[in-house]
Amino acid sequence: MQRFLTAGLRQLASPAFLAAALLALSVGVASAQAVKPASAQDDPAPPAATAPPATQPGGIRSANIFEIAPDAATDPKYSEQTNAERGRVQPGNNAPMWRDVGKGVTGYSSLPYPEAGNMIQGFVQYPGSRLTNAGEAWRQVRNNWIIPYGGSLLLIAVVALSLFYFGKGTIKLHGSETGRVIERFTYVERAAHWVNAITFVVLAVSGIVMAFGKFFLLPVLGSTLFGWLTYALKNMHNFAGPLFAVSLVVVFFTFLKDNWPSKEDFAWIMKAGGLFGGSEVPSHRFNAGEKVVFWGGVFFLGLIVVGSGVFLDKIVPAVEYTRANMQVASMIHGVATILMMAMFLGHIYMGTIGMQGAYKAMKTGYVDETWAKEHHELWYDDIKAGKIPAHRTAAAAAAASDAPRVA
C-alpha cells in the first residue's frame, strides 16, 4: 500500500501532469468569465403614463400596456393606494373603472366586432330574473325556469301517455277489415311528412341531450365521451335545423287544404274525440285534435321555433348578432321547442302505438275502408258520395293520361 501511494505521488508531481492541470485550470477560468452574467442593474423608473384624451367614450380610459409599470404590485403600499394613485400607476386598474365595466359601460376597442368594447352587458330584468346584467339574467331564466320546468313538462307528457297506454291500450278497430283500401296519403304527402318527422327527431334528441344530458348522461358516460357526443349532436342540430324549416313549410302548404276548422270540430273537442267513450266522434279527413297540432304545433310554434333557430344559426342576413339578441332568441327558442315537443309527443303516440293502422297509413299511404269509417266517418262519407276520389294518385295519373298532348 505504501509503495502504491508513493508511486501515485510521484506521478502527481511529474512535470507533465502539472502542465496539464495548469492548462485545464486556465480554460475553466476563461469559460467562467465568458458565461458570467453581467451584474443586474436596477430597473429604470417606469415612464409616466400618457394621459388619454378626455373625450374618450364610456368614461373608461385606455392604456398602453407597454407604459404600465410591470412591478407596481411589488410596492409595499400597493394595497393602500387610492384610486387616483392606482390610476396613475396602472391606468384602468382601479375600482371606479371596474364598477363602470360591471354596469355595462362601453369603452373603446380596435377589434372589428360590434361589442368588442363592452366586457359586461348592461342591467336588464327578463321575465323570471332579477335586475342584473344581461348575461346573468339569461342564466337565471334558463337555469331556474326553462330547464327545470321544461324538463318537468316533457316528463309529465311521457308519464301521461304511458298511463293512458297501459290503461286503455291501443285503439283497435271494432269491425272487420273489408280488404278494400282508400288512399289516405299520396307519395308527396308522405315524403314531406317523413322528411319533417326525421329532422324533428334529430333536433329533439340532440336538443334534449344538450339541455338535459348533464343530468342523466354525464354521470353514466363520463365527461370525455359526453363531450364528444354533445359536440356531434350540436353540429347535427345546426345542420338539421334549416332542413326542418324547409320541410315544415312544405308540410304546412301540403296539408293546409284539409286542416281548415269546421263546425264538426267543436263537437269533437267537447267529447275529446270519444277517447273516453265507446265510439269516436265523426270527423273529416283530419279531426280537431290533428288540426290543433297542425295550427298550434306546425304553424304557430313552428314559426317561432324556425325563426329563433335560424337566427341562432346566424344565417339571417343584415342582422346584428349581439349577445342580447342571441340571449333573447335562445330563451324564445327553448320555450317554444319544449312546447312543440310536448305537443308532438301526443301526435307521435297516436300515429304509432296509440291507434291500430295509423302508422301503416303513413308508411304505405292506404287504409282499409273500415278504418276510414270508424276514425274519420265524414271523410269516408264524402269518398262514398264521390266528392273525394278514393285513390287520388290513380285519379291524377288517369287525368294526366287523358289530357291532350301537345305535338
Side-chain angles (χ1 to χ4, degrees):
M1 183 68 181
Q2 184 178 2
R3 188 178 300 173
F4 176 78
L5 292 175
T6 304
L9 291 175
R10 289 177 180 176
Q11 292 180 358
L12 290 176
S14 63
F17 182 84
L18 292 176
L22 290 175
L23 178 61
L25 181 62
S26 62
V27 172
V29 172
S31 300
Q33 290 178 350
V35 298
K36 182 179 179 181
S39 58
Q41 296 180 355
D42 294 337
D43 292 331
T50 305
T55 59
Q56 191 163 350
I60 300 177
R61 298 185 302 173
S62 64
N64 188 335
I65 191 172
F66 296 107
E67 297 178 353
I68 297 177
D71 58 347
T74 61
D75 188 340
K77 297 183 179 181
Y78 179 78
S79 60
E80 302 175 4
Q81 290 177 344
T82 64
N83 289 318
E85 293 172 338
R86 183 70 57 79
R88 288 194 298 269
V89 179
Q90 289 182 314
N93 187 15
N94 53 76
M97 179 268 187
W98 289 110
R99 276 197 289 267
D100 286 342
V101 171
K103 294 176 183 177
V105 173
T106 301
Y108 168 79
S109 174
S110 59
L111 297 175
Y113 181 70
E115 294 182 294
N118 183 267
M119 297 181 65
I120 299 177
Q121 294 173 269
F123 277 48
V124 298
Q125 186 171 11
Y126 294 132
S129 77
R130 302 191 306 271
L131 179 62
T132 180
N133 65 75
E136 176 61 24
W138 171 80
R139 281 187 288 272
Q140 291 177 8
V141 173
R142 181 184 185 276
N143 297 337
N144 298 339
W145 294 93
I146 298 178
I147 295 299
Y149 290 99
S152 300
L153 177 61
L154 294 179
L155 287 177
I156 290 172
V158 171
V159 171
L161 292 174
S162 300
L163 293 175
F164 185 83
Y165 175 76
F166 289 110
K168 189 176 182 64
T170 302
I171 300 175
K172 299 184 180 295
L173 295 177
H174 297 93
S176 302
E177 293 186 350
T178 63
R180 297 183 298 272
V181 295
I182 297 174
E183 186 179 25
R184 180 155 176 80
F185 300 109
T186 65
Y187 176 81
V188 173
E189 291 171 340
R190 287 184 288 129
H193 177 273
W194 280 117
V195 171
N196 184 254
I198 293 172
T199 53
F200 172 79
V201 171
V202 172
L203 292 171
V205 171
S206 57
I208 288 173
V209 172
M210 288 188 290
F212 308 103
K214 66 180 181 180
F215 302 111
F216 65 93
L217 278 180
L218 179 59
V220 177
L221 301 179
S223 58
T224 301
L225 184 56
F226 177 74
W228 281 104
L229 176 63
T230 309
Y231 178 77
L233 290 176
K234 171 186 174 295
N235 285 280
M236 293 175 63
H237 195 94
N238 291 341
F239 283 100
L243 181 58
F244 174 77
V246 174
S247 65
L248 199 69
V249 173
V250 175
V251 165
F252 176 78
F253 287 104
T254 299
F255 296 103
L256 175 62
K257 178 183 176 182
D258 295 315
N259 274 285
W260 291 109
S262 63
K263 60 182 181 180
E264 292 81 7
D265 294 332
F266 295 100
W268 193 97
I269 293 175
M270 294 302 296
K271 297 181 180 180
L275 290 177
F276 304 101
S279 60
E280 293 190 34
V281 180
S283 63
H284 289 283
R285 186 187 179 199
F286 299 116
N287 57 44
E290 292 170 313
K291 291 179 181 180
V292 169
V293 172
F294 180 83
W295 288 106
V298 175
F299 178 72
F300 179 70
L301 290 177
L303 189 65
I304 297 175
V305 168
V306 168
S308 58
V310 169
F311 186 88
L312 291 172
D313 262 348
K314 295 185 177 182
I315 58 178
V316 180
V319 175
E320 283 192 357
Y321 293 106
T322 60
R323 284 171 291 177
N325 291 341
M326 297 295 282
Q327 288 160 357
V328 173
S330 174
M331 292 185 289
I332 293 174
H333 190 74
V335 173
T337 51
I338 289 174
L339 294 176
M340 174 183 275
M341 284 190 288
M343 179 177 288
F344 279 11
L345 278 174
H347 176 72
I348 294 172
Y349 169 79
M350 293 302 297
T352 52
I353 62 175
M355 178 180 290
Q356 178 185 357
Y359 176 75
K360 183 180 178 181
M362 185 54 69
K363 179 181 178 181
T364 65
Y366 293 89
V367 296
D368 191 85
E369 285 188 356
T370 302
W371 189 96
K373 185 176 182 179
E374 291 189 9
H375 297 308
H376 299 275
E377 186 176 353
L378 300 179
W379 175 60
Y380 174 78
D381 292 341
D382 288 340
I383 291 175
K384 286 301 181 181
K387 296 179 181 180
I388 303 174
H391 300 278
R392 289 177 295 152
T393 300
S401 61
D402 294 338
R405 298 182 179 181
V406 179

